[in-house]
Amino acid sequence: MGLPLLEAAMHGCHILARDLPVFREQGLAHVQYFDDDRPEMLAAALRALAVRSERPAPSQEGLPTWAD
């Protein structure tokens, strides 16, 4: 399930996730997805996430809650 992504977003974390349909169900626009198994592609995604992490974390406004 994509619950870990939602919880990370609720804590204001930057997110890098495997591009799986279950992770896209949450509709989180600020998640950076990767879909290649090659180490160099994952390394590139991690470098891109590091650059994004220098900016403020995404807003938590409008995220679903446990009550939803």
Side-chain angles (χ1 to χ4, degrees):
M1 297 187 71
L3 185 57
L5 274 62
L6 183 56
E7 288 186 0
M10 291 176 71
H11 287 281
C13 296
H14 295 274
I15 303 169
L16 175 64
R18 180 80 180 188
D19 192 5
L20 300 173
V22 68
F23 291 150
R24 291 208 177 250
E25 285 179 0
Q26 301 297 330
L28 301 172
H30 58 277
V31 175
Q32 181 176 335
Y33 296 96
F34 69 97
D35 64 354
D36 197 310
D37 287 334
R38 293 178 295 159
E40 59 272 9
M41 298 307 290
L42 178 56
L46 287 168
R47 283 192 294 274
L49 182 65
V51 169
R52 286 181 57 200
S53 295
E54 293 175 1
R55 295 183 234 140
S59 171
Q60 301 168 24
E61 192 172 312
L63 291 176
T65 65
W66 281 104
D68 296 334

